[in-house]
Amino acid sequence: MVCFRLSPVPGSGLVLLCLVLGAVSSYALELNVTDSEKAVCLYAKWQMNFTIHYETTNKTYKTVTISDFSTASYNGSVCGDDQNNPKIVVQFGSGFSWTVNFTKEESTYSIDGISFSYNTSDKVTFPDAKDKGILTVRDAVGFRIPLNDMFRCNSLSTLEDSGVVQYYWDVHVQAFVQNGTVSTKEFLCEKDKTSTTVVPITPTTTPSPTTAPTPKEKPEVGSYSVNNSNGTCLLATMGLQLNVTHNKVVSIININPNTTDFTGSCQPRSALLSLNSSNIKYLDFVFAVKNENRFYLKEVNVSVYLLNGSVFSIANNNLSYWDAPLGSSYMCNKEQTVSVSGAFQINTFDLRVQPFNVMEGKYSTAQDCSADDDSFLVPIAVGAALAGVLILVLLAYFIGLKRHHAGYEQF
């Protein structure tokens, strides 16, 4: 027997389903595969979405984002036996399927491969696709994990092949679970290892550059958006300048919005905006909800190609920038710096973002950043100083008048 446990959102409770699974939310998909004795043998939690670039009958190209897993089922997911390895099989939408295969060695197990299939004959998703039929992309992942360890990768990972980009984050998985008990010991992916060792900028941790960076002009402001089945769910307008220190050399990169592609996803408590271009492998902004009534920038993941041919990558999932109430947008017209690490910062210009509760594709009322608020403090401070001077003048006048009057009374 195969059973699954689904937790759509935190605090919503657990539902135990066997053989047939009902509605699934992609925000926090958690499943337990159990064996004939009802012991857990395979555990997985995965957040994901997919973008597909396809050719139309007009010889143009379109991109669609797949992020709705509300019709998901898991027929074919198995624990594995002497003849077959464990695997997760997910079916959703009109002809979409996703499979993860696992293999085992003496002291380790591997996420051996991931495959994703889609049907361009689906007239709703691909109404004008030139080529019709079921297409499949396969990626040999090869993550090797110690037996009885949970694999964790909160950072965003991407797989790209044949016009399909698979986005994964908040991944927790363990195959070959021992004695029916999911392990609490975690084996981290490389991105998460990087993000846990990120330190703030201090003079002792930032290398002194041996080559001065070429001064850059203010970057062009770009507009970005993310759509889901309900319409526009994320808006962002900003000029972006990347500051990278690698091998004691500082590089400054202005992002050109005209040559930058973007995608993302929107979930009830998290949202993702991902940018990429010829020299930016990925630049991901991950937003989260806190205290049920505010949002903020929680995570940045980046991988860029430098002029010397090397690749610089870093992640930090413990940020706290761009804080504003839900139902509003965050705005900062002045230059602002997001410090991701001692070696990587992002300068933003004319920033405005709203990752949640976008109505009719338009920004809601903005909360200004503290930098903008300073502009209001200057006239207030000047006014207060002038008022103080006026009070002192009046006090001096009345004291002088009183003394002058007292002098007359003595005669």
Side-chain angles (χ1 to χ4, degrees):
M1 181 177 66
V2 178
C3 293
F4 303 91
R5 183 179 66 180
L6 174 68
S7 177
V9 293
S12 63
L14 297 177
V15 180
L16 184 66
L17 303 177
C18 299
L19 297 181
V20 179
L21 198 65
V24 178
S25 165
S26 63
Y27 170 64
L29 183 148
E30 184 178 359
L31 64 89
N32 291 326
V33 182
T34 61
D35 58 21
S36 57
E37 298 179 355
K38 298 184 179 181
V40 176
C41 60
L42 174 60
Y43 169 85
K45 182 176 79 169
W46 228 293
Q47 295 199 67
M48 66 189 80
N49 70 15
F50 309 90
T51 61
I52 303 170
H53 193 61
Y54 70 95
E55 186 177 4
T56 70
T57 52
N58 295 327
K59 296 184 179 180
T60 59
Y61 287 87
K62 288 186 177 179
T63 300
V64 296
T65 299
I66 310 301
S67 58
D68 183 7
F69 306 99
S70 60
T71 60
S73 62
Y74 296 83
N75 299 322
S77 299
V78 295
C79 294
D81 51 33
D82 293 337
Q83 286 77 37
N84 302 289
N85 288 318
K87 64 180 178 179
I88 300 171
V89 182
V90 185
Q91 304 88 22
F92 55 95
S94 302
F96 296 102
S97 65
W98 181 72
T99 303
V100 185
N101 293 292
F102 302 89
T103 58
K104 179 182 177 181
E105 298 180 6
E106 290 186 3
S107 59
T108 62
Y109 69 95
S110 298
I111 304 174
D112 194 46
I114 295 176
S115 62
F116 171 66
S117 298
Y118 58 100
N119 188 358
T120 55
S121 298
D122 175 16
K123 295 182 179 180
V124 175
T125 309
F126 308 97
D128 51 358
K130 176 184 176 182
D131 300 317
K132 303 291 185 179
I134 297 177
L135 303 175
T136 301
V137 292
R138 296 180 175 85
D139 290 276
V141 179
F143 284 127
R144 185 172 293 178
I145 305 127
L147 276 175
N148 208 32
D149 278 13
M150 167 85 71
F151 175 75
R152 191 201 81 185
C153 196
N154 290 334
S155 303
L156 183 75
S157 300
T158 59
L159 299 175
E160 185 170 359
D161 184 28
S162 302
V164 176
V165 183
Q166 306 175 53
Y167 297 90
Y168 302 117
W169 68 100
D170 193 18
V171 175
H172 298 72
V173 63
Q174 183 181 356
F176 304 99
V177 175
Q178 304 295 309
N179 302 319
T181 303
V182 176
S183 178
T184 58
K185 184 179 179 182
E186 294 182 334
F187 180 83
L188 305 184
C189 66
E190 290 301 318
K191 283 188 177 182
D192 278 16
K193 290 177 182 177
T194 303
S195 64
T196 56
T197 59
V198 166
V199 295
I201 300 177
T202 62
T204 57
T205 58
T206 304
S208 300
T210 56
T211 303
T214 302
K216 287 280 185 177
E217 61 184 12
K218 183 179 176 181
E220 184 177 346
V221 175
S223 296
Y224 311 95
S225 62
V226 176
N227 297 323
N228 60 14
S229 57
N230 297 320
T232 303
C233 57
L234 182 152
L235 291 171
T237 304
M238 50 191 171
L240 295 171
Q241 186 178 83
L242 311 184
N243 291 266
V244 179
T245 303
H246 184 63
N247 293 333
K248 297 184 179 182
V249 176
V250 175
S251 301
I252 299 178
I253 303 169
N254 281 353
I255 291 182
N256 182 357
N258 300 314
T259 58
T260 299
D261 296 322
F262 55 91
T263 185
S265 64
C266 300
Q267 311 298 341
R269 296 179 60 85
S270 66
L272 165 70
L273 173 64
S274 181
L275 310 182
N276 69 87
S277 65
S278 58
N279 62 332
I280 300 174
K281 192 174 182 180
Y282 56 81
L283 173 59
D284 305 319
F285 299 92
V286 181
F287 300 88
V289 173
K290 68 177 181 180
N291 301 329
E292 307 299 331
N293 61 0
R294 301 187 70 85
F295 71 83
Y296 69 106
L297 177 66
K298 181 181 185 296
E299 181 176 345
V300 169
N301 306 301
V302 67
S303 183
V304 297
Y305 301 102
L306 302 179
L307 291 177
N308 61 6
S310 62
V311 177
F312 175 87
S313 301
I314 204 164
N316 189 341
N317 60 3
N318 193 32
L319 302 176
S320 185
Y321 291 96
W322 306 350
D323 187 305
L326 284 175
S328 68
S329 58
Y330 176 88
M331 183 170 69
C332 194
N333 290 326
K334 294 187 177 182
E335 181 178 353
Q336 191 180 40
T337 300
V338 175
S339 176
V340 179
S341 76
F344 180 69
Q345 300 85 42
I346 304 173
N347 294 334
T348 63
F349 302 81
D350 299 316
L351 168 72
R352 191 169 186 180
V353 293
Q354 185 171 346
F356 301 98
N357 301 346
V358 176
M359 304 297 292
E360 298 180 349
K362 299 179 181 179
Y363 284 111
S364 300
T365 304
Q367 173 168 308
D368 288 336
C369 67
S370 57
D372 288 344
D373 290 340
D374 291 342
S375 62
F376 296 99
L377 296 178
V378 173
I380 293 174
V382 172
L386 290 175
V389 171
L390 180 60
I391 291 172
L392 289 175
V393 170
L394 290 174
L395 286 174
Y397 171 76
F398 285 118
I399 291 172
L401 183 63
K402 184 177 179 181
R403 288 180 177 177
H404 184 68
H405 183 67
Y408 277 110
E409 288 180 347
Q410 290 178 3
F411 288 98

